[in-house]
Amino acid sequence: SEESGRDKPDEPIFRLALEKLGMKKEDVLFIGDDADKDIKGAKDFGIPYIQISGEFKSVAESFKRFNSV
């Protein structure tokens, strides 16, 4: 967010991330836990997304739980 000069859910931060990755919206999956910042931004920008519960302590724990479902 510092590099783009904006914060989530503002569109420029999502656009900059895609540019740096060299990818298109349809080529990524956004994973976030904050409905107002993460999910709203991804949804408004047209990026596929998954919302995880904020109860996990780390990304690794989130994937471990997600894969066990």
Side-chain angles (χ1 to χ4, degrees):
S1 62
E2 186 177 319
E3 189 173 334
S4 72
R6 306 292 287 270
D7 289 321
K8 292 183 290 183
D10 293 340
E11 188 175 302
I13 196 167
F14 290 92
R15 181 176 287 116
L16 180 62
L18 289 177
E19 287 173 11
K20 288 197 165 278
L21 292 170
M23 302 187 86
K24 298 176 185 175
K25 296 177 189 182
E26 58 271 11
D27 296 331
V28 300
L29 176 65
F30 187 87
I31 300 172
D33 65 343
D34 187 298
D36 294 326
K37 292 182 180 178
D38 298 330
I39 303 308
K40 181 182 182 335
K43 185 176 181 181
D44 289 351
F45 191 54
I47 297 174
Y49 62 88
I50 292 176
Q51 183 175 3
I52 59 172
S53 170
E55 68 187 63
F56 302 114
K57 293 180 173 62
S58 69
V59 172
E61 178 65 18
S62 298
F63 281 112
K64 188 165 132 185
R65 293 265 184 110
F66 183 75
N67 287 329
S68 69
V69 175

